[in-house]
Amino acid sequence: MTYSTIVSNKPADPDERLVYRDMPTPLGDMRLVASPKGLRGAWFTDQDLLPSAEGWTLADSDPILEQARRELDEWFAGQRRVFEVPLDPVGTTFQHEVWHALCDLDFGVLASYGDLARTVGRPKGAQAVGGAVGRNPISIIIPCHRVIGADTSLTGFGGGLPRKQALLAHEGNLYRSRSARARRVCDGQAELPW
C-alpha cells in the first residue's frame, strides 16, 4: 500500500484540488475523497466526523476514487484482503504512526489499544492511541475496526457498533452483541450457554 504522509495539525491547503464521490456498500453509503496524491478520506455518509464537501469537486471518473471504489467492492465481496490504493490522509506525526500500525494489521487480525501503543513505541499511551484511532479518516482501508479492548470487548467505532460488528464478522471475528462491552466469541465458544 502506498501511503503518502502529510503531517500537519492544520487543515489541508485550501487551494488543493480535492475530489469526491459517494458509493453504496452493504453497510450504507460511503463518501470517498481524493487529493492528487491519494485517497484522503473514506467515511460512511452518516458519520459524525464526515467533513463538509464544501470546496470539493464531485468526480465519478477520478482514477484514485475509482480504484478505491473497486477495491472496496472487491473487499466486501470477499475477493480482496489487501488494499493497494495510494493513501494521503492528513494528520499529526503521532496519528500517522498509529495509522501505519493499523495498516500493518492483516485481514482478520485484531489488536488492542495497548498492543498498538506498544507497536508505536508508547507502551503507556493506549488512551492517546485510542484518540488517533478515532480520528482515522479512511474507514476500512486503514482498518480501525480491527482495534478492540484488551478483554476483547467491541469498544467504539466512528461508523457505529453495528457496522464494526459486521466488519469484524466479515473478517471472521464473531461478536453476538452490538454492545461496546460485548466480547469476541472464540473458536468453540459459540455453543456455550453464557
Side-chain angles (χ1 to χ4, degrees), residues 90-123:
V90 173
T92 66
T93 300
F94 179 69
Q95 287 170 333
H96 281 283
E97 289 173 8
V98 172
W99 298 339
H100 275 280
L102 288 171
C103 288
D104 289 339
L105 293 175
D106 290 333
F107 183 92
V109 174
L110 304 180
S112 70
Y113 295 100
D115 294 336
L116 280 178
R118 286 184 289 281
T119 297
V120 299
R122 299 189 185 193

Side-chain angles (χ1 to χ4, degrees), residues 19-56:
V19 294
Y20 78 100
R21 73 177 290 180
D22 291 349
M23 68 170 284
T25 77
L27 299 178
D29 289 349
M30 289 188 79
R31 177 157 297 158
L32 307 177
V33 180
S35 74
K37 295 178 185 175
L39 191 65
R40 178 68 54 90
W43 298 270
F44 288 99
T45 57
D46 61 356
Q47 278 187 249
D48 290 339
L49 292 177
L50 175 68
S52 166
E54 185 177 338
W56 299 348

